[in-house]
Amino acid sequence: MARSGKRPNSNIAICGAGIAGPALALRLLDYGFQPTLIERAPSFRDGGYMIDIWGTGYDVVEAYGLTQAARARGYLFDRLAMVDAKGRETASFGGPVFRRVLADRFFSIPRGDLARTLHEAIGGRAETLYGTSIRALRETATGVEAELTNGETRPFDLVIGADGLRSSVRDLTFGPASEVEADLGYGAASFFADGYPHRDEGVYVSHGRPGRQISRYAMRGGRTVFLLVFARDAGLGRLARDLAAQKALLRKTFGEDAWETPEILARLDRADDLYFDSVSQIRMPRWSQGRVALIGDAAHSPSLLAGAGAALAMLGAYVLAGELDRADGDYRQAFAAYEDRLRPYMQRQQKAAVGFAGAFAPKTSLGLAVRDSVLRLMNLPLLGGLSTKLMLGESFPLPDYG
């Protein structure tokens, strides 16, 4: 493929077409660069877990001009409800306190729907290679040669790894994930089902046992999304691509639980699209090397349970694209500015997320009781307001890149 020549270093490969990759491509297109999206999945990936958009995440979606489109596909989370083995509510939080503090600047959206919103905004202006990944990278004096799994070798000016927690670009450039992945001791799985009979519109319903939690959220069209979180000692690497083994582990982990768990596991058995992974963070001493840089979970995953991974991915894309434009394609200057601006903030987000993982699925009965007591206290106006602001985390002032 010929280099575009419109701007210095304008021919940019972006590996990953989930959230971070399309977000970066969209901004780069606006600045006159020519991105190419490379995605290992054979087609657009729908589904995934629910993403909460608030605080800095809401600011970022707004900066992209996508608030209306994303909210149209989103859901208004109103309340979190914890239930016991018989479905009786034991604790809840949300409602008026939640809405007042957030001032309507919040919504939830399935990961796939947010990705679709970004792809639609790109509108075919960027080439997307599905069913393809990068097999090897070789930096030259003028660019990067990317050997692709489809048999092609393409020249690019820059390569950006936006391919998530299991980034192949990171492995090729910085070494194996084992050197930068911090396992938080939990696993998570998520899937969708049609026609599930139990529905509580606008309520995120969860049932917890020591070391595990199973949750559901009602969606449009009779669909329901489920999230299963569990503590574990052994790694999940051997289950990375084995759907049957993943389901077997989930049945073994949750198989003795009450509430609606038997019904949910029956739906799991019929699911053909399952998100399944360890709850991990990526902690790297640097996010770029030469002409290759990382964004999103590939660079600084806070973990799925932090609830902010997609928003932070879009934030990283926004900043990196803005710095490349500001530096007129000088990647050395842009990569350094991108990291200097974001790294302190991302490190603080990761630190906060470590504590949140334990609160999400406490490992003891006492921990569950304490968690429920705290949720009940959060309904008090003053305490609830302060707690909601803490949940939002530290805000990040978005640079004005024009």
Side-chain angles (χ1 to χ4, degrees), residues 207-209 212-214 253-262:
H207 173 63
R209 297 291 298 152
R212 56 195 184 274
Q213 180 165 294
I214 190 165
T253 302
F254 292 89
E256 300 299 320
D257 292 350
W259 183 51
E260 300 166 10
T261 303

Side-chain angles (χ1 to χ4, degrees), residues 261-282:
T261 303
E263 293 177 85
I264 294 172
L265 292 179
R267 299 293 176 134
L268 169 68
D269 287 339
R270 300 197 292 270
D272 55 10
D273 186 7
L274 174 68
Y275 170 88
F276 183 96
D277 209 340
S278 60
V279 176
S280 302
Q281 293 186 339
I282 297 298

Side-chain angles (χ1 to χ4, degrees), residues 327-341:
D328 194 26
D330 182 338
Y331 66 91
R332 295 182 183 87
Q333 177 183 334
F335 289 175
Y338 152 71
E339 187 158 346
D340 288 345
R341 190 181 291 275

Side-chain angles (χ1 to χ4, degrees), residues 65-107:
L66 297 176
T67 309
Q68 183 175 355
R71 288 192 69 140
R73 286 188 163 117
Y75 297 82
L76 289 180
F77 165 89
D78 184 68
R79 196 163 58 91
L80 166 66
M82 308 303 301
V83 297
D84 64 14
K86 295 184 177 180
R88 297 171 299 199
E89 188 171 303
T90 59
S92 67
F93 169 67
V97 173
F98 197 77
R99 291 191 295 271
R100 184 183 72 249
V101 174
L102 296 179
D104 198 39
R105 292 177 60 83
F106 72 98
F107 62 96

Side-chain angles (χ1 to χ4, degrees), residues 286-290 293-295 300 315-346 396-397 399 401:
R286 64 186 187 281
W287 300 338
S288 66
Q289 182 168 296
L294 305 173
I295 62 171
H300 47 68
L315 173 61
Y318 176 90
V319 172
L320 178 56
E323 295 298 341
L324 279 167
D325 175 59
R326 182 173 285 177
D328 194 26
D330 182 338
Y331 66 91
R332 295 182 183 87
Q333 177 183 334
F335 289 175
Y338 152 71
E339 187 158 346
D340 288 345
R341 190 181 291 275
L342 277 183
R343 176 174 286 280
Y345 176 74
M346 295 302 186
F396 181 90
Y401 291 114

Side-chain angles (χ1 to χ4, degrees), residues 355-366:
F356 187 70
F360 199 95
K363 296 181 179 180
T364 66
S365 297
L366 177 60

